[in-house]
Amino acid sequence: MDYTYELHRLESKALPFILPDKTTEGMFNIFNWHREIEFLYVTQGSGIFMSDADSFELSKGDIFAVNSNCMHTTREEKKLGYRCFIVDAQFCIDNGIRIDEIVLNPKISDPKAAELFEDIIEQYKYDDEYCVAAIRSSVLAFLVYLVRNHAYADGPHGKEAAKKSVRNMRAATDYIKNHFNERLTLDEIASYVGLNRCHFAREFKRLMGITPVNYINMLRCETAMKMLRGGKYTVGEIQLRCGFDNASYFTKVFKKYFGKTPVSFLTD
């Protein structure tokens, strides 16, 4: 199975969303993940939707919610067709929806949620002075409905334990963001949140959908990509500023996430 980190460029500040014009058909089996929340709305047929290690069978009218940094893919079963909608992470955060704290149930079979999704599609058909406000309003209505009605249910250890685990992972990601350009070890991060190394690694993967090491490398490479675009530093300087001690490892990891080497990224 292949794995790909997707970097979505949502350049519009007014409408920081991605909504392809047409229903997607066919199948793919490449696991991918990204920071943004994604929703797949089944318009025809049925199929298997995979989120991390779990599989869900969805049919027409169902919604597949892809949480932030959650590995996912689909497998066609019966002429599967769906609409894809991606929401910028910062848009969620700016409106009080912390995507690093909230985990949506992957399978959402709810006529009201489907109605709200279709309203987003409907608002994109207008081209008047109110269309931007209408789209943003529809997106927020959809998101708020989902976090109120389809957020992660209490696990076997109870609500407080689940909240504590989420707080630990949020603290861990904040720590990584503040120290990603330094030498980081799992022991150091686990100690910071008060967990042992193995338990921390398991919980991080369970909630974030990605291992701590991959998360660190992803963050480093995202920063490196932005610095390459800025044109202020050389590849060697960027490598060191982003926490990579080894040039060949930097090149290998960067290519894994973006499909090209840092040097190729500069020349393209």
Side-chain angles (χ1 to χ4, degrees), residues 240-263:
L240 295 175
R241 285 176 176 269
C242 291
F244 289 102
D245 294 332
N246 184 282
S248 61
Y249 182 66
F250 171 49
T251 298
K252 177 182 177 181
V253 174
F254 190 93
K255 186 175 181 181
K256 172 186 174 182
Y257 290 125
F258 300 124
K260 58 183 67 177
T261 67
V263 173

Side-chain angles (χ1 to χ4, degrees), residues 165-173 195 200 203-204 207-208:
S165 186
V166 169
R167 286 196 299 268
N168 283 337
M169 294 310 108
R170 180 184 174 188
T173 56
L195 300 174
F200 165 70
E203 282 297 283
F204 193 97
L207 290 174
M208 300 296 293

Side-chain angles (χ1 to χ4, degrees), residues 23-39:
T23 293
T24 300
E25 297 185 34
M27 67 177 182
F28 61 93
N29 60 0
I30 297 177
F31 268 99
N32 64 93
W33 74 97
H34 38 73
R35 190 184 179 212
E36 298 80 15
I37 297 179
E38 180 178 6
F39 301 97

Side-chain angles (χ1 to χ4, degrees), residues 120-136:
I120 295 172
I121 297 173
E122 181 66 24
Q123 296 306 323
Y124 267 90
K125 297 178 182 178
Y126 292 91
D127 186 22
D128 57 23
E129 59 183 310
Y130 308 110
C131 63
V132 171
I135 292 171
R136 290 173 65 93

